Amino acid sequence: MIGFFRRKKPETPASEPRLSTEELAAAFPSAPAEAPAPAEPVAVEPVVAEPVAAAVEPVPAEVIAAALEVDADVAQAVAAEPATPPASAGKPGWRERLRGSAFARSLGGLFSRNPKLDDDLLDEIETALITADVGVTATTQLIESLRRRMKAREFADAPALLAALRADLIALLRPVAQPLRIDAAARPFVLLTVGVNGVGKTTTIGKLAKRFRDENRALMLAAGDTFRAAAVAQLQAWGERNGVPVIAQGQNADAASVAFDALQAAKARGTEVLIADTAGRLHTQQGLMAELGKIKRVLQKVDPEAPHEVLMVIDGTTGQNALSQLRQFHAAVGVTGLVVTKLDGTAKGGVVFALAREFGIPIRYAGIGERAEDLRVFDAEAFVDALLPEALGA
Ligand SMILES: Nc1nc2c(ncn2[C@@H]2O[C@H](COP(=O)(O)OP(=O)(O)OP(=O)(O)O)[C@@H](O)[C@H]2O)c(=O)[nH]1
Ligand SMILES: [Mg+2]
């Protein structure tokens, strides 16, 4: 039995879903969350566009340094990234980065011994899933499905049940593992990033800038966080590193006006992708949430289809609070894709399953570190296998 766990790669993948698609659909309906109406009427203000701000000149190193000095987080991220990664560096895999997660650790205990196929095993799995932030509803559905099948004698032994759990977890995520497609007809393709404070929006934009530059796309960034000191310099530092122009106005400028200028400039230059940063805001701050709606409407004055993607960044360590964050941001601005960050380190990671089950909104990318290359296209199987103990997963 232990041999099963030790096997490197099962020939018949243990991932073979044992639930039919219909059963899964019934077990995990991805009902879109009810979008509560914003409590505050959204004011549409005409935007008096300043003349299109020229792409900001490269920021002098001392300005960035000064800015970075006051922002230890950024300084750390910048310092962490080698200008040219050594040829041998290679991209660290999902498993390597997610190994320390609470999910991997709590489920790992189950695999380090030889569990019996009984209700105690289900109880232990249930505790592990709840501990990892999978959420009560998703956990209950997973456990009840396993229990039903165990009673129906579908599993020969405990490893068979654990393999079924792996397959069910993957099946839960597969519908939302939809990569971002840049529509070539949209020029520029406008990406608006939103999310609460400190979740990794600006870092994710930097990572995307590198990714899109590597794909030889003409890019532009809009410094729409006019609220936090050093936010503009932080984005400019990322822009400079990747040779991408950044449109900015002064601190405390109107964020919608920055977005408007940037879109006009991007259009004039035939830019392929425009990524707009926004200030972090709590989903409970009604006024700031309404501002997001305004940014969106102002973009639509230039291009009625913009933004083509409203990318909400969610911190993977947040836990179940991520659900109310997404609900509120979705109501305010219509989220079309997610990035779940900080899945490296001690993240529980389970909230990804709760988000998938509750909203069915595509998860575009996963952030698994602070460096430019630490962004992965979200892959259901790779993610689950990185969370599960090695012997079962890969
Ligand atoms: N470990 C880890 N850290 C991350 C990841 N993504 C971002 N961070 C770190 O999270 C911190 C905040 O990142 P920012 O990009 O400034 O977050 P933000 O959402 O733009 O923050 P505000 O603009 O203040 O709302 C920084 O220290 C980043 O390096 C990730 O995937 N893994
Ligand atoms: Mg930011």
Side-chain angles (χ1 to χ4, degrees), residues 180-192 212 217-222 245 247 258-276 299-309:
L180 178 68
R181 302 246 175 264
I182 306 289
D183 177 5
R187 211 168 175 101
F189 184 92
V190 181
L191 256 152
L192 179 67
F212 294 151
R217 293 184 190 275
L219 257 190
M220 189 181 279
L221 308 180
I247 298 289
V258 175
F260 183 88
D261 280 357
L263 180 49
Q264 281 201 324
K267 235 181 149 71
R269 292 179 185 199
T271 300
E272 274 179 271
V273 184
L274 170 68
I275 314 178
L299 286 168
Q300 287 167 347
K301 288 180 201 249
V302 186
D303 177 354
E305 302 293 319
H308 305 89
E309 175 86 349

Side-chain angles (χ1 to χ4, degrees), residues 200-203 225 228 231 234 277-280:
K201 292 178 293 300
T202 309
T203 307
D225 181 353
R228 189 169 64 82
Q234 183 188 1
D277 196 7
T278 58

Side-chain angles (χ1 to χ4, degrees), residues 37-79:
E40 200 178 76
V42 177
V44 185
E45 290 163 30
V47 167
V48 184
E50 297 285 316
V52 172
V56 168
E57 290 295 317
V59 188
E62 61 273 23
V63 174
I64 295 173
L68 296 184
E69 208 170 288
V70 296
D71 192 336
D73 284 349
V74 184
Q76 199 185 3
V78 171

Side-chain angles (χ1 to χ4, degrees), residues 71-74 76-78 97 194-205 207 225 228 231 234 238 277-281 313 315 340-345 366-371 374-375:
D71 192 336
D73 284 349
V74 184
Q76 199 185 3
V78 171
R97 286 304 175 85
V194 300
V196 305
N197 312 69
V199 290
K201 292 178 293 300
T202 309
T203 307
T204 298
I205 292 173
K207 293 172 177 178
D225 181 353
R228 189 169 64 82
Q234 183 188 1
W238 279 108
D277 196 7
T278 58
R281 64 203 71 219
V313 182
D315 180 336
V340 185
T341 59
K342 310 190 191 181
L343 288 170
D344 50 310
I368 57 168
E370 294 183 281
R371 298 181 313 164
D374 294 335
L375 189 73

Side-chain angles (χ1 to χ4, degrees), residues 27-392:
F28 307 118
S30 58
E34 279 264 317
E40 200 178 76
V42 177
V44 185
E45 290 163 30
V47 167
V48 184
E50 297 285 316
V52 172
V56 168
E57 290 295 317
V59 188
E62 61 273 23
V63 174
I64 295 173
L68 296 184
E69 208 170 288
V70 296
D71 192 336
D73 284 349
V74 184
Q76 199 185 3
V78 171
E81 196 188 7
T84 321
S88 61
K91 286 186 179 176
W94 286 82
R95 178 182 294 288
E96 194 188 310
R97 286 304 175 85
L98 273 62
R99 191 183 342 213
S101 79
F103 202 154
R105 278 182 282 124
S106 52
L107 269 177
L110 281 177
F111 293 80
S112 56
R113 54 190 178 75
N114 194 359
K116 272 206 244 116
L117 183 65
D118 55 17
D119 283 328
D120 286 350
L121 175 62
L122 287 175
D123 288 348
E124 283 188 65
I125 295 173
E126 187 170 23
T127 306
L129 294 175
I130 296 283
T131 309
D133 268 337
V134 171
V136 174
T137 321
T139 298
T140 306
Q141 284 176 339
L142 286 163
I143 293 297
E144 287 321 309
S145 160
L146 289 174
R147 196 184 307 280
R148 211 173 39 248
R149 292 155 68 192
M150 188 174 87
K151 298 271 182 281
R153 305 200 183 287
E154 202 180 306
F155 308 125
D157 50 21
L161 181 143
L162 292 166
L165 169 64
R166 170 183 179 268
D168 289 354
L169 288 170
I170 292 172
L172 190 46
L173 295 183
R174 206 171 265 140
V176 297
Q178 297 172 37
L180 178 68
R181 302 246 175 264
I182 306 289
D183 177 5
R187 211 168 175 101
F189 184 92
V190 181
L191 256 152
L192 179 67
T193 54
V194 300
V196 305
N197 312 69
V199 290
K201 292 178 293 300
T202 309
T203 307
T204 298
I205 292 173
K207 293 172 177 178
L208 286 173
K210 176 176 163 38
R211 177 175 286 265
F212 294 151
R213 285 295 294 153
D214 288 350
E215 292 170 4
N216 286 323
R217 293 184 190 275
L219 257 190
M220 189 181 279
L221 308 180
D225 181 353
T226 53
F227 186 69
R228 189 169 64 82
V232 173
Q234 183 188 1
L235 194 71
Q236 285 171 338
W238 279 108
E240 221 179 42
R241 219 177 302 146
N242 293 290
V244 176
V246 178
I247 298 289
Q249 293 177 5
Q251 211 198 323
N252 298 326
D254 179 12
S257 163
V258 175
F260 183 88
D261 280 357
L263 180 49
Q264 281 201 324
K267 235 181 149 71
R269 292 179 185 199
T271 300
E272 274 179 271
V273 184
L274 170 68
I275 314 178
D277 196 7
T278 58
R281 64 203 71 219
L282 285 178
H283 50 299
T284 48
Q285 293 171 312
Q286 309 275 351
L288 288 176
M289 293 302 286
E291 186 193 56
L292 289 178
K294 178 180 161 189
I295 295 173
K296 187 172 173 176
R297 284 191 305 280
V298 164
L299 286 168
Q300 287 167 347
K301 288 180 201 249
V302 186
D303 177 354
E305 302 293 319
H308 305 89
E309 175 86 349
V310 176
L311 199 58
M312 178 163 174
V313 182
I314 290 178
D315 180 336
T317 64
T318 307
Q320 293 292 303
N321 184 259
L323 298 177
S324 34
Q325 286 178 19
L326 178 50
R327 199 166 290 122
Q328 298 297 333
F329 273 85
H330 193 46
V333 76
V335 175
T336 55
L338 302 178
V339 179
V340 185
T341 59
K342 310 190 191 181
L343 288 170
D344 50 310
T346 54
K348 294 182 172 180
V351 72
V352 170
F353 298 95
L355 288 167
R357 195 206 142 270
E358 184 105 359
F359 297 92
I361 293 178
I363 302 177
R364 308 294 194 190
Y365 299 99
I368 57 168
E370 294 183 281
R371 298 181 313 164
E373 57 271 34
D374 294 335
L375 189 73
R376 295 284 180 282
V377 170
F378 186 74
D379 177 325
E381 198 160 324
F383 178 69
V384 170
D385 281 346
L387 292 177
L388 291 178
E390 192 153 2
L392 182 72

